[in-house]
Amino acid sequence: MSSSPPQPPNLLNLYNLGCHYMESCDYAKALSHFSTAASYGHPLSCHNLAVMQSQGLGCAINNEEAIKNFKTAAERRFPESQYSLAILLKNHHHDIETAKELLESAASQGHVAAAYSLGVLESGDVDGGDKEAA
């Protein structure tokens, strides 16, 4: 009798539970659910985990981990993560070229804040024009 490999958890359920706990301000539980789903590459969970890490919700602020998780979601063309990653890279790593590429991609998908930030960045105002990564 061969044993089948264990099935991954239901990522959408983990994500939805994470959102529920986040809305209830139970950040430890939200972090746990998003972390589990993110470990399987679930882009929305990666994004929400990165938001929590960048804002210190349920954990210490950790921009490097936030960048890693935003990047995972951004690579799957999730525009909100592309925008948030661009802002973190611009503000914390001064990586203007990568930020510009990410803003272009997010803007091309209709992300209004990314389009605005891109316009400001291209105008030469590298310190202004963006909102905090959320």
Side-chain angles (χ1 to χ4, degrees):
M1 175 187 238
S2 68
S3 65
S4 57
Q7 293 294 315
N10 184 318
L11 302 181
L12 185 57
N13 283 349
L14 285 170
Y15 168 75
N16 287 332
L17 282 169
C19 290
H20 167 76
Y21 289 123
M22 196 162 176
E23 289 171 6
S24 303
C25 297
D26 189 341
Y27 298 127
K29 286 183 181 176
L31 194 69
S32 173
H33 284 81
F34 291 143
S35 292
T36 301
S39 72
Y40 288 90
H42 186 262
L44 296 174
S45 296
C46 290
H47 177 82
N48 283 5
L49 178 59
V51 168
M52 295 183 78
Q53 292 166 327
S54 69
Q55 295 180 6
L57 300 174
C59 60
I61 291 175
N62 188 336
N63 286 322
E64 295 310 310
E65 283 298 308
I67 286 170
K68 182 181 88 171
N69 285 301
F70 279 137
K71 185 176 182 184
T72 298
E75 288 171 345
R76 289 167 175 78
R77 296 194 40 81
F78 185 57
E80 187 64 27
S81 288
Q82 291 172 330
Y83 170 73
S84 297
L85 178 59
I87 301 308
L88 274 175
L89 289 175
K90 182 179 83 60
N91 292 343
H92 295 281
H93 291 272
H94 308 289
D95 185 349
I96 305 302
E97 287 309 310
T98 303
K100 205 180 258 193
E101 291 171 14
L102 289 161
L103 291 172
E104 287 170 351
S105 180
S108 74
Q109 296 174 73
H111 195 283
V112 175
Y116 174 77
S117 293
L118 180 61
V120 171
L121 197 59
E122 289 178 340
S123 75
D125 183 11
V126 295
D127 292 324
D130 57 67
K131 301 173 186 168
E132 274 302 307

